[in-house]
Amino acid sequence: MSYFTEILAETSDGFRALDVDVRDASDLDSLVEMMQAAGSEDGESVAVIEHEDEWFGLVRVCTDNEIRVFLSDLRAVELSPFADIFADFLDSQPDAYEAEPEEEFGLEEEPAGDDEDEDEEVEMLEFDADAEWGGDAEIYADRGVLAADLIEQVEKYRSDPARVVAHVGETVGFADQLQAAR
């Protein structure tokens, strides 16, 4: 599976692709510096990173230099060559499941013969940690992509991250330039 990366900067004429390679960034700060140096001073910029059929990441540098990041699948990002860029988001990842003491679940009181049924139930109820998104789901809420809509798109099209990025791009205004860069 391949990666697609692109940085787009907003100008008075809309977004344009920048001649900057995301893979040259060693961390989020260096990526943001690259985006700011190559972009226009009066507009925003966005870095798009996609791993085919797995995950995507958006890094937005707003006009006031606020940095916003959204990652569709933290576990997949952690295993990718881009993990260093998003290390701050991966390190602060909440635990997918925080176990309570056994006595609160009443596990000590259940008969020993129900172990097989219990294992089946636990498997069905396990949280899919590979599907946990992270960062700021309101990354483009001010431009029409509500957090609930973004999360719904991520969950609905988990195996098609390009579709979700295209949805964001259509709403924000960079879809044509992103498609041309592909």
Side-chain angles (χ1 to χ4, degrees):
M1 289 186 230
S2 61
Y3 286 93
F4 169 77
T5 63
E6 188 63 55
I7 297 177
L8 302 161
E10 188 174 32
T11 66
S12 58
D13 297 328
F15 282 88
R16 65 179 174 84
L18 301 179
D19 189 21
V20 179
D21 191 348
V22 172
R23 291 171 278 225
D24 291 338
S26 59
D27 57 19
L28 184 60
D29 290 337
S30 64
L31 176 60
V32 168
E33 287 174 19
M34 291 167 40
M35 293 168 69
Q36 291 170 327
S40 65
E41 292 182 22
D42 59 341
E44 296 189 357
S45 57
V46 60
V48 176
I49 302 170
E50 287 177 22
H51 190 211
E52 182 181 318
D53 299 334
E54 278 197 44
W55 66 275
F56 72 89
L58 298 173
V59 178
R60 177 185 181 191
V61 178
C62 302
T63 54
D64 61 358
N65 288 323
E66 178 185 10
I67 300 159
R68 303 179 96 177
V69 175
F70 180 82
L71 303 169
S72 68
D73 187 334
L74 292 175
R75 183 80 59 209
V77 173
E78 185 175 30
L79 299 172
S80 79
F82 297 98
D84 289 343
I85 292 176
F86 301 113
D88 291 342
F89 294 90
L90 302 175
D91 291 343
S92 64
Q93 170 182 343
D95 292 336
Y97 175 76
E98 294 180 18
E100 296 290 329
E102 287 184 5
E103 58 272 9
E104 289 187 28
F105 287 117
L107 294 178
E108 293 177 35
E109 299 171 15
E110 291 191 28
D114 290 341
D115 287 343
E116 188 175 316
D117 292 337
E118 182 180 307
D119 289 342
E120 288 178 26
E121 283 184 37
V122 171
E123 286 180 43
M124 291 174 22
L125 297 175
E126 281 182 341
F127 181 79
D128 183 6
D130 292 349
E132 186 175 352
W133 61 269
D136 184 1
E138 294 184 341
I139 186 169
Y140 279 113
D142 62 322
R143 307 269 308 249
V145 182
L146 302 177
D149 185 35
L150 179 57
I151 293 167
E152 178 184 335
Q153 290 284 313
V154 166
E155 291 173 355
K156 187 174 182 180
Y157 303 110
R158 186 155 309 280
S159 65
D160 191 3
R163 183 175 184 153
V164 181
V165 173
H167 170 75
V168 173
E170 285 290 332
T171 305
V172 174
F174 60 79
D176 291 340
Q177 294 75 14
L178 191 63
Q179 185 60 34
R182 291 183 190 274

PDB file of all heavy atoms in Angstrom, residues 16-42:
ATOM      1  N   ARG A  16      -3.635  26.128  -3.718  1.00  0.00           N
ATOM      2  CA  ARG A  16      -2.663  25.682  -4.723  1.00  0.00           C
ATOM      3  C   ARG A  16      -1.711  24.693  -4.059  1.00  0.00           C
ATOM      4  O   ARG A  16      -1.417  24.795  -2.866  1.00  0.00           O
ATOM      5  CB  ARG A  16      -1.897  26.849  -5.328  1.00  0.00           C
ATOM      6  CG  ARG A  16      -1.020  27.592  -4.338  1.00  0.00           C
ATOM      7  CD  ARG A  16      -0.245  28.732  -5.008  1.00  0.00           C
ATOM      8  NE  ARG A  16       0.479  29.502  -4.024  1.00  0.00           N
ATOM      9  CZ  ARG A  16       1.675  29.187  -3.538  1.00  0.00           C
ATOM     10  NH1 ARG A  16       2.282  28.117  -3.958  1.00  0.00           N
ATOM     11  NH2 ARG A  16       2.266  29.946  -2.638  1.00  0.00           N
ATOM     12  N   ALA A  17      -1.248  23.749  -4.857  1.00  0.00           N
ATOM     13  CA  ALA A  17      -0.306  22.753  -4.346  1.00  0.00           C
ATOM     14  C   ALA A  17       1.062  23.393  -4.167  1.00  0.00           C
ATOM     15  O   ALA A  17       1.486  24.219  -4.978  1.00  0.00           O
ATOM     16  CB  ALA A  17      -0.216  21.582  -5.321  1.00  0.00           C
ATOM     17  N   LEU A  18       1.747  23.006  -3.099  1.00  0.00           N
ATOM     18  CA  LEU A  18       3.084  23.525  -2.819  1.00  0.00           C
ATOM     19  C   LEU A  18       4.126  22.473  -3.175  1.00  0.00           C
ATOM     20  O   LEU A  18       3.870  21.273  -3.077  1.00  0.00           O
ATOM     21  CB  LEU A  18       3.212  23.890  -1.339  1.00  0.00           C
ATOM     22  CG  LEU A  18       2.231  24.930  -0.814  1.00  0.00           C
ATOM     23  CD1 LEU A  18       2.464  25.160   0.674  1.00  0.00           C
ATOM     24  CD2 LEU A  18       2.395  26.244  -1.569  1.00  0.00           C
ATOM     25  N   ASP A  19       5.289  22.947  -3.572  1.00  0.00           N
ATOM     26  CA  ASP A  19       6.380  22.052  -3.926  1.00  0.00           C
ATOM     27  C   ASP A  19       7.186  21.727  -2.658  1.00  0.00           C
ATOM     28  O   ASP A  19       8.332  22.156  -2.501  1.00  0.00           O
ATOM     29  CB  ASP A  19       7.260  22.699  -4.993  1.00  0.00           C
ATOM     30  CG  ASP A  19       8.283  21.733  -5.554  1.00  0.00           C
ATOM     31  OD1 ASP A  19       8.068  20.508  -5.426  1.00  0.00           O
ATOM     32  OD2 ASP A  19       9.299  22.199  -6.105  1.00  0.00           O
ATOM     33  N   VAL A  20       6.555  21.000  -1.752  1.00  0.00           N
ATOM     34  CA  VAL A  20       7.162  20.634  -0.474  1.00  0.00           C
ATOM     35  C   VAL A  20       6.835  19.166  -0.222  1.00  0.00           C
ATOM     36  O   VAL A  20       5.705  18.735  -0.452  1.00  0.00           O
ATOM     37  CB  VAL A  20       6.593  21.501   0.681  1.00  0.00           C
ATOM     38  CG1 VAL A  20       7.191  21.112   2.007  1.00  0.00           C
ATOM     39  CG2 VAL A  20       6.805  22.978   0.407  1.00  0.00           C
ATOM     40  N   ASP A  21       7.808  18.418   0.232  1.00  0.00           N
ATOM     41  CA  ASP A  21       7.598  16.996   0.498  1.00  0.00           C
ATOM     42  C   ASP A  21       7.414  16.764   1.995  1.00  0.00           C
ATOM     43  O   ASP A  21       8.327  17.026   2.789  1.00  0.00           O
ATOM     44  CB  ASP A  21       8.784  16.182  -0.018  1.00  0.00           C
ATOM     45  CG  ASP A  21       8.513  14.686  -0.018  1.00  0.00           C
ATOM     46  OD1 ASP A  21       7.509  14.245   0.572  1.00  0.00           O
ATOM     47  OD2 ASP A  21       9.316  13.952  -0.624  1.00  0.00           O
ATOM     48  N   VAL A  22       6.246  16.284   2.375  1.00  0.00           N
ATOM     49  CA  VAL A  22       5.929  16.027   3.783  1.00  0.00           C
ATOM     50  C   VAL A  22       6.953  15.080   4.414  1.00  0.00           C
ATOM     51  O   VAL A  22       7.291  15.204   5.585  1.00  0.00           O
ATOM     52  CB  VAL A  22       4.503  15.444   3.911  1.00  0.00           C
ATOM     53  CG1 VAL A  22       4.212  14.988   5.321  1.00  0.00           C
ATOM     54  CG2 VAL A  22       3.478  16.464   3.455  1.00  0.00           C
ATOM     55  N   ARG A  23       7.480  14.172   3.627  1.00  0.00           N
ATOM     56  CA  ARG A  23       8.437  13.180   4.157  1.00  0.00           C
ATOM     57  C   ARG A  23       9.737  13.804   4.626  1.00  0.00           C
ATOM     58  O   ARG A  23      10.520  13.169   5.328  1.00  0.00           O
ATOM     59  CB  ARG A  23       8.690  12.091   3.127  1.00  0.00           C
ATOM     60  CG  ARG A  23       7.460  11.207   2.923  1.00  0.00           C
ATOM     61  CD  ARG A  23       7.669  10.302   1.756  1.00  0.00           C
ATOM     62  NE  ARG A  23       7.368  11.071   0.552  1.00  0.00           N
ATOM     63  CZ  ARG A  23       6.652  10.643  -0.448  1.00  0.00           C
ATOM     64  NH1 ARG A  23       6.209   9.414  -0.443  1.00  0.00           N
ATOM     65  NH2 ARG A  23       6.389  11.397  -1.475  1.00  0.00           N
ATOM     66  N   ASP A  24       9.981  15.075   4.262  1.00  0.00           N
ATOM     67  CA  ASP A  24      11.182  15.764   4.732  1.00  0.00           C
ATOM     68  C   ASP A  24      11.032  16.283   6.155  1.00  0.00           C
ATOM     69  O   ASP A  24      12.014  16.701   6.771  1.00  0.00           O
ATOM     70  CB  ASP A  24      11.523  16.938   3.799  1.00  0.00           C
ATOM     71  CG  ASP A  24      11.988  16.474   2.435  1.00  0.00           C
ATOM     72  OD1 ASP A  24      12.440  15.308   2.315  1.00  0.00           O
ATOM     73  OD2 ASP A  24      11.892  17.272   1.481  1.00  0.00           O
ATOM     74  N   ALA A  25       9.835  16.264   6.691  1.00  0.00           N
ATOM     75  CA  ALA A  25       9.595  16.750   8.054  1.00  0.00           C
ATOM     76  C   ALA A  25       9.982  15.680   9.070  1.00  0.00           C
ATOM     77  O   ALA A  25       9.664  14.509   8.909  1.00  0.00           O
ATOM     78  CB  ALA A  25       8.123  17.122   8.224  1.00  0.00           C
ATOM     79  N   SER A  26      10.666  16.112  10.111  1.00  0.00           N
ATOM     80  CA  SER A  26      11.072  15.172  11.157  1.00  0.00           C
ATOM     81  C   SER A  26      10.080  15.132  12.313  1.00  0.00           C
ATOM     82  O   SER A  26      10.035  14.169  13.065  1.00  0.00           O
ATOM     83  CB  SER A  26      12.459  15.539  11.687  1.00  0.00           C
ATOM     84  OG  SER A  26      12.444  16.861  12.203  1.00  0.00           O
ATOM     85  N   ASP A  27       9.303  16.193  12.456  1.00  0.00           N
ATOM     86  CA  ASP A  27       8.284  16.259  13.505  1.00  0.00           C
ATOM     87  C   ASP A  27       7.239  17.289  13.094  1.00  0.00           C
ATOM     88  O   ASP A  27       7.349  17.897  12.021  1.00  0.00           O
ATOM     89  CB  ASP A  27       8.908  16.590  14.871  1.00  0.00           C
ATOM     90  CG  ASP A  27       9.690  17.896  14.878  1.00  0.00           C
ATOM     91  OD1 ASP A  27       9.488  18.739  13.982  1.00  0.00           O
ATOM     92  OD2 ASP A  27      10.515  18.084  15.793  1.00  0.00           O
ATOM     93  N   LEU A  28       6.237  17.480  13.936  1.00  0.00           N
ATOM     94  CA  LEU A  28       5.144  18.392  13.583  1.00  0.00           C
ATOM     95  C   LEU A  28       5.645  19.822  13.428  1.00  0.00           C
ATOM     96  O   LEU A  28       5.230  20.537  12.509  1.00  0.00           O
ATOM     97  CB  LEU A  28       4.022  18.315  14.624  1.00  0.00           C
ATOM     98  CG  LEU A  28       2.778  19.138  14.325  1.00  0.00           C
ATOM     99  CD1 LEU A  28       2.129  18.707  13.013  1.00  0.00           C
ATOM    100  CD2 LEU A  28       1.771  19.020  15.467  1.00  0.00           C
ATOM    101  N   ASP A  29       6.554  20.255  14.292  1.00  0.00           N
ATOM    102  CA  ASP A  29       7.078  21.620  14.194  1.00  0.00           C
ATOM    103  C   ASP A  29       7.772  21.863  12.858  1.00  0.00           C
ATOM    104  O   ASP A  29       7.576  22.910  12.234  1.00  0.00           O
ATOM    105  CB  ASP A  29       8.052  21.911  15.347  1.00  0.00           C
ATOM    106  CG  ASP A  29       7.343  22.026  16.690  1.00  0.00           C
ATOM    107  OD1 ASP A  29       6.123  22.308  16.710  1.00  0.00           O
ATOM    108  OD2 ASP A  29       8.012  21.843  17.726  1.00  0.00           O
ATOM    109  N   SER A  30       8.571  20.889  12.409  1.00  0.00           N
ATOM    110  CA  SER A  30       9.260  21.085  11.129  1.00  0.00           C
ATOM    111  C   SER A  30       8.268  21.049   9.965  1.00  0.00           C
ATOM    112  O   SER A  30       8.436  21.782   8.984  1.00  0.00           O
ATOM    113  CB  SER A  30      10.388  20.073  10.941  1.00  0.00           C
ATOM    114  OG  SER A  30       9.897  18.756  10.865  1.00  0.00           O
ATOM    115  N   LEU A  31       7.236  20.238  10.065  1.00  0.00           N
ATOM    116  CA  LEU A  31       6.203  20.225   9.024  1.00  0.00           C
ATOM    117  C   LEU A  31       5.500  21.577   8.962  1.00  0.00           C
ATOM    118  O   LEU A  31       5.314  22.145   7.881  1.00  0.00           O
ATOM    119  CB  LEU A  31       5.184  19.110   9.271  1.00  0.00           C
ATOM    120  CG  LEU A  31       3.999  19.065   8.308  1.00  0.00           C
ATOM    121  CD1 LEU A  31       4.453  18.864   6.862  1.00  0.00           C
ATOM    122  CD2 LEU A  31       3.021  17.970   8.715  1.00  0.00           C
ATOM    123  N   VAL A  32       5.146  22.115  10.114  1.00  0.00           N
ATOM    124  CA  VAL A  32       4.468  23.415  10.159  1.00  0.00           C
ATOM    125  C   VAL A  32       5.381  24.509   9.603  1.00  0.00           C
ATOM    126  O   VAL A  32       4.934  25.370   8.837  1.00  0.00           O
ATOM    127  CB  VAL A  32       4.002  23.737  11.594  1.00  0.00           C
ATOM    128  CG1 VAL A  32       3.562  25.183  11.724  1.00  0.00           C
ATOM    129  CG2 VAL A  32       2.881  22.795  12.003  1.00  0.00           C
ATOM    130  N   GLU A  33       6.659  24.465   9.942  1.00  0.00           N
ATOM    131  CA  GLU A  33       7.604  25.453   9.402  1.00  0.00           C
ATOM    132  C   GLU A  33       7.674  25.367   7.886  1.00  0.00           C
ATOM    133  O   GLU A  33       7.705  26.397   7.206  1.00  0.00           O
ATOM    134  CB  GLU A  33       8.992  25.239  10.009  1.00  0.00           C
ATOM    135  CG  GLU A  33       9.099  25.678  11.449  1.00  0.00           C
ATOM    136  CD  GLU A  33      10.449  25.328  12.072  1.00  0.00           C
ATOM    137  OE1 GLU A  33      11.426  25.070  11.326  1.00  0.00           O
ATOM    138  OE2 GLU A  33      10.520  25.315  13.314  1.00  0.00           O
ATOM    139  N   MET A  34       7.709  24.154   7.356  1.00  0.00           N
ATOM    140  CA  MET A  34       7.727  23.973   5.902  1.00  0.00           C
ATOM    141  C   MET A  34       6.460  24.537   5.274  1.00  0.00           C
ATOM    142  O   MET A  34       6.515  25.206   4.231  1.00  0.00           O
ATOM    143  CB  MET A  34       7.862  22.484   5.552  1.00  0.00           C
ATOM    144  CG  MET A  34       9.204  21.881   5.885  1.00  0.00           C
ATOM    145  SD  MET A  34       9.271  20.069   5.838  1.00  0.00           S
ATOM    146  CE  MET A  34       8.310  19.627   4.424  1.00  0.00           C
ATOM    147  N   MET A  35       5.319  24.276   5.901  1.00  0.00           N
ATOM    148  CA  MET A  35       4.043  24.758   5.377  1.00  0.00           C
ATOM    149  C   MET A  35       3.999  26.280   5.389  1.00  0.00           C
ATOM    150  O   MET A  35       3.549  26.904   4.424  1.00  0.00           O
ATOM    151  CB  MET A  35       2.891  24.183   6.200  1.00  0.00           C
ATOM    152  CG  MET A  35       2.725  22.679   6.051  1.00  0.00           C
ATOM    153  SD  MET A  35       1.604  21.949   7.271  1.00  0.00           S
ATOM    154  CE  MET A  35       0.026  22.620   6.747  1.00  0.00           C
ATOM    155  N   GLN A  36       4.476  26.889   6.470  1.00  0.00           N
ATOM    156  CA  GLN A  36       4.455  28.344   6.581  1.00  0.00           C
ATOM    157  C   GLN A  36       5.431  29.001   5.611  1.00  0.00           C
ATOM    158  O   GLN A  36       5.118  30.024   5.006  1.00  0.00           O
ATOM    159  CB  GLN A  36       4.761  28.765   8.023  1.00  0.00           C
ATOM    160  CG  GLN A  36       3.652  28.411   8.983  1.00  0.00           C
ATOM    161  CD  GLN A  36       4.033  28.610  10.441  1.00  0.00           C
ATOM    162  OE1 GLN A  36       5.187  28.424  10.827  1.00  0.00           O
ATOM    163  NE2 GLN A  36       3.054  28.973  11.262  1.00  0.00           N
ATOM    164  N   ALA A  37       6.603  28.410   5.453  1.00  0.00           N
ATOM    165  CA  ALA A  37       7.619  28.987   4.569  1.00  0.00           C
ATOM    166  C   ALA A  37       7.192  28.931   3.105  1.00  0.00           C
ATOM    167  O   ALA A  37       7.463  29.851   2.332  1.00  0.00           O
ATOM    168  CB  ALA A  37       8.949  28.269   4.762  1.00  0.00           C
ATOM    169  N   ALA A  38       6.528  27.863   2.717  1.00  0.00           N
ATOM    170  CA  ALA A  38       6.139  27.687   1.315  1.00  0.00           C
ATOM    171  C   ALA A  38       4.789  28.307   0.987  1.00  0.00           C
ATOM    172  O   ALA A  38       4.499  28.586  -0.171  1.00  0.00           O
ATOM    173  CB  ALA A  38       6.111  26.202   0.969  1.00  0.00           C
ATOM    174  N   GLY A  39       3.965  28.524   1.997  1.00  0.00           N
ATOM    175  CA  GLY A  39       2.622  29.042   1.771  1.00  0.00           C
ATOM    176  C   GLY A  39       2.579  30.544   1.694  1.00  0.00           C
ATOM    177  O   GLY A  39       3.589  31.234   1.795  1.00  0.00           O
ATOM    178  N   SER A  40       1.378  31.062   1.505  1.00  0.00           N
ATOM    179  CA  SER A  40       1.198  32.509   1.456  1.00  0.00           C
ATOM    180  C   SER A  40       1.008  33.029   2.873  1.00  0.00           C
ATOM    181  O   SER A  40       0.536  32.320   3.752  1.00  0.00           O
ATOM    182  CB  SER A  40      -0.005  32.867   0.585  1.00  0.00           C
ATOM    183  OG  SER A  40      -1.186  32.372   1.166  1.00  0.00           O
ATOM    184  N   GLU A  41       1.379  34.269   3.084  1.00  0.00           N
ATOM    185  CA  GLU A  41       1.306  34.842   4.423  1.00  0.00           C
ATOM    186  C   GLU A  41      -0.122  35.155   4.857  1.00  0.00           C
ATOM    187  O   GLU A  41      -0.407  35.226   6.041  1.00  0.00           O
ATOM    188  CB  GLU A  41       2.158  36.103   4.501  1.00  0.00           C
ATOM    189  CG  GLU A  41       3.637  35.810   4.392  1.00  0.00           C
ATOM    190  CD  GLU A  41       4.481  37.061   4.516  1.00  0.00           C
ATOM    191  OE1 GLU A  41       3.999  38.059   5.078  1.00  0.00           O
ATOM    192  OE2 GLU A  41       5.622  37.024   4.047  1.00  0.00           O
ATOM    193  N   ASP A  42      -1.017  35.353   3.906  1.00  0.00           N
ATOM    194  CA  ASP A  42      -2.379  35.768   4.240  1.00  0.00           C
ATOM    195  C   ASP A  42      -3.395  34.631   4.242  1.00  0.00           C
ATOM    196  O   ASP A  42      -4.559  34.848   4.540  1.00  0.00           O
ATOM    197  CB  ASP A  42      -2.847  36.868   3.290  1.00  0.00           C
ATOM    198  CG  ASP A  42      -2.825  36.416   1.837  1.00  0.00           C
ATOM    199  OD1 ASP A  42      -2.137  35.427   1.534  1.00  0.00           O
ATOM    200  OD2 ASP A  42      -3.498  37.064   1.016  1.00  0.00           O
TER     201      ASP A  42
END
